[in-house]
Each structure stands twice: as structure tokens, then as C-alpha cells.
Amino acid sequence: MIIAIDGPAGSGKSTVAKLVAKRLGFAYLDTGAMYRAVAWRALDTQVDLDDDAALTRIALSDAIRFGYQAGEALPSEVFIADEDVTRAIRRPEIDAVVSKVSAVAGVRHALVAQQQSIGGERDTVMEGRDIGTTVFPHAELKIFLTASPEARAARRLGQNATRFGEAAQNQRREEVLADIIRRDAYDSGRKTSPLRAADDAFVLDTTDLNIGEVVDVILEQVSVAPPR
Ligand code: DC
């Protein structure tokens, strides 16, 4: 069974998707981490971000791999070309360029093929932007999470403070909000697989819900999802 969880930045996808995967004993795939890894590699190897062919080559040839902490059921580490980029891919420098990298059709084709292969192996909760529309259009359950841009900016600030501590203290709410609005527009407006809810997705506005409430709604949907 594939559970597709799509939605914009800061909608709570990652936290919720991991909890749902844990509760159900499913695998978990963070497809955004794959786009981030390609963006990181492009910056690291000084590839011109306007060179679609070079970006596509990275996605096709630099292997992305997920790693597990001891005793953990879900992957929490990300590698590209054997480099551990777990923390680096969450930095603002990557936030600033990842939409552009992920809009390249060749990059998307390469990563979507990998995602389909990973999801074909076992029951998986897969989170991203186009899982229900493009990667697994026949997923048994499609969830599309939304929340107001302000709520999403507040969550992203909280995450960054946890991840980067003092270094993130100077990040201003307005900057994070502006970045979220800019990325929404870019991700929704791109030609290849724009961010949108699949027609048959269950759309859930999480602005006024806590994580436990969102997880409960999704598990409820799992229990009534028709087999395909
Ligand atoms: O979910 P995230 O913020 O880690 O995603 C990083 C970027 O990758 C985001 O700008 C949108 C893009 N993305 C995408 O285009 N398709 C996906 N399936 C997942 C992420």
C-alpha cells in the first residue's frame, strides 16, 4: 500500500508522515530530501544552476541513499555520492535554490523513477509535492496537507531553531514567510508536476490542528481506504 502525503513547505508533512509510517510499520520516503540532495551536490560541485543537463546528470548518476540510526525503524540520514548531507540539505542556502533544481524536468524524471522503484518494494508512506498526482497516481490513499502561510512559517522557524540552535535565532519570521510564499508560487507554477492536490486526494487544513490530531485523521482515512 502506498500512502501519498503531499503539500506545501511547512504543512507538517514530514512530522506527520513519519508518525503515520511508524504507527503502521510502513517504510517512509522523504522525496524532498532527494531534490535537496541534488541541489546540495550541484552547489558543492559548482554546477551552473541554469544548466539543466548538468543537473540532470547529477540526478541520474550520483546515487542517493538513506541511512538508519541504530535501533530506528525509519531512515534519518541522507547521502549523495556517499557524502552524508543529512544536516547540510536543511540549510537556508539549499532552501534558496531547491525549487529551481526541482523544476528541471530531467531531474524530476530521474528522481521519480527512483521513488517508484523504492515504493514498489513495500508498503510505504511517501511524502512530497507530486506523489498523488505523478509518482503514484494509483496510491491507495492520498492526503494533501495545507495550512496558512503564517502557520507554516512559524513551524519552519521552530524546526530551524531545533536543528541549528543559535545560528537560526537571527532568522526573521518575515524572511521565512517570504521564502515560503516564494517557494509555494514557484512549486505551484512550474510546468512539470506542479504542486497541487490530486482530484481524489483527501485535503486537510492543519492550521488549527496539532500533530496528533492530523495523524489520527490520516489513520482514520487509512482504515476506510478502498483497496485498488
Ligand atoms: O519538502 P521539502 O521542503 O524538503 O522539499 C524541497 C523542495 O523539493 C521543494 O521546493 C519542492 C521540491 N519537491 C518537489 O518538487 N517534489 C517532491 N516530490 C518533493 C519536493
Side-chain angles (χ1 to χ4, degrees):
M1 177 180 197
I2 297 286
I3 301 177
I5 302 190
D6 290 303
S11 58
K13 287 187 312 276
S14 298
T15 312
V16 164
K18 281 182 203 158
L19 287 168
V20 169
K22 262 195 185 153
R23 287 278 284 274
L24 296 172
F26 280 25
Y28 160 74
L29 183 66
D30 172 4
T31 61
M34 300 173 77
Y35 291 97
R36 286 172 178 275
V38 171
W40 178 88
R41 182 81 173 151
L43 293 186
D44 190 58
T45 54
Q46 295 174 357
V47 159
D48 177 356
L49 295 182
D50 288 319
D51 186 344
D52 289 7
L55 293 171
T56 300
R57 265 197 302 281
I58 293 177
L60 283 171
S61 47
D62 291 333
I64 298 171
R65 182 165 66 74
F66 290 89
Y68 296 76
Q69 300 256 319
E72 283 295 323
L74 303 184
S76 55
E77 295 162 353
V78 189
F79 298 81
I80 185 163
D82 282 331
E83 190 104 28
D84 184 347
V85 294
T86 309
R87 282 173 61 80
I89 61 170
R90 305 294 166 190
R91 295 201 165 276
E93 303 90 273
I94 301 297
D95 286 344
V97 299
V98 65
S99 282
K100 192 167 195 321
V101 171
S102 67
V104 175
V107 170
R108 300 203 71 81
H109 284 133
L111 296 190
V112 165
Q114 293 178 36
Q115 291 155 13
Q116 289 170 332
S117 151
I118 294 168
E121 283 169 15
R122 50 174 293 205
D123 291 334
T124 302
V125 177
M126 196 172 292
E127 63 144 301
R129 301 290 191 290
D130 60 340
I131 311 304
T133 52
T134 304
V135 184
F136 281 100
H138 302 296
E140 285 86 346
L141 179 61
K142 302 178 185 179
I143 305 287
F144 192 87
L145 298 182
T146 62
S148 70
E150 290 75 16
R152 293 187 283 122
R155 289 173 190 167
R156 191 43 57 98
L157 271 174
Q159 276 174 354
N160 288 353
T162 312
R163 276 191 190 121
F164 301 120
E166 270 185 27
Q169 301 294 317
N170 301 331
Q171 244 192 331
R172 304 216 343 260
R173 180 170 298 255
E174 305 87 82
E175 282 169 19
V176 175
L177 180 59
D179 179 63
I180 278 186
I181 291 171
R182 180 185 61 76
R183 278 211 283 157
D184 284 355
Y186 204 99
D187 294 343
S188 311
R190 70 176 176 227
K191 276 211 208 89
T192 314
S193 316
L195 167 68
R196 68 169 182 84
D199 293 338
D200 52 351
F202 181 86
V203 179
L204 184 58
D205 186 334
T206 69
T207 306
D208 297 317
L209 298 178
N210 66 36
I211 288 162
E213 289 168 330
V214 178
V215 170
D216 285 346
V217 173
I218 295 176
L219 291 175
E220 165 93 32
Q221 289 300 309
V222 173
S223 67
V224 298
R228 295 211 192 222

